[in-house]
Amino acid sequence: MMSSIHVDVIRLLSDPLRRHIVELLAQGPACTCHLVTDTGAKQPAVSHHLKVLKEAGLVASEPHGRYTYYRLLPDALETTAHGLTALVQSARRSANDRRECP
């Protein structure tokens, strides 16, 4: 069974804009203005998604002058990837282990 952090990360990344923001941050830190330009989304929407991602422990914010830069924290993604890999391995091992009905 997958832990709640895996489910939370998967749920968070199911939103297309949030997933796009994570993909952009995987290329390096960016400020909100970069993310607005790169996604084509409105600033309040990008800020909201960054807040959600930050609260979930997927991104960190760092002030730089009058701007705030966001960077991806890969640990939660890596934990989720390991959980999904374990799920795949379990499914492969038991693909032919049909349970008999009572």
Side-chain angles (χ1 to χ4, degrees):
M1 181 145 211
M2 291 183 61
S3 72
S4 62
I5 189 166
H6 300 144
V7 174
D8 290 345
V9 170
I10 292 168
R11 182 184 52 79
L12 288 172
L13 296 179
S14 68
D15 181 278
L17 179 54
R18 230 176 275 151
R19 186 175 53 252
H20 192 194
I21 290 169
V22 167
E23 289 168 348
L24 291 167
L25 292 176
Q27 298 170 20
C31 71
T32 306
C33 61
H34 295 129
L35 296 170
V36 166
T37 299
D38 293 346
T39 63
K42 302 231 184 267
Q43 186 273 328
V46 170
S47 292
H48 168 73
H49 287 297
L50 287 168
K51 178 181 180 237
V52 170
L53 291 167
K54 185 176 177 182
E55 288 172 353
L58 288 172
V59 300
S61 61
E62 300 168 346
H64 186 72
R66 50 178 242 188
Y67 298 99
T68 299
Y69 276 75
Y70 294 86
R71 65 180 172 86
L72 190 60
L73 299 173
D75 289 347
L77 292 174
E78 187 172 48
T79 300
T80 300
H82 288 306
L84 289 171
T85 298
L87 188 61
V88 168
Q89 291 169 345
S90 177
R92 285 201 171 121
R93 279 191 308 271
S94 62
N96 295 318
D97 297 344
R98 183 177 336 136
R99 291 174 31 184
E100 296 299 324
C101 294

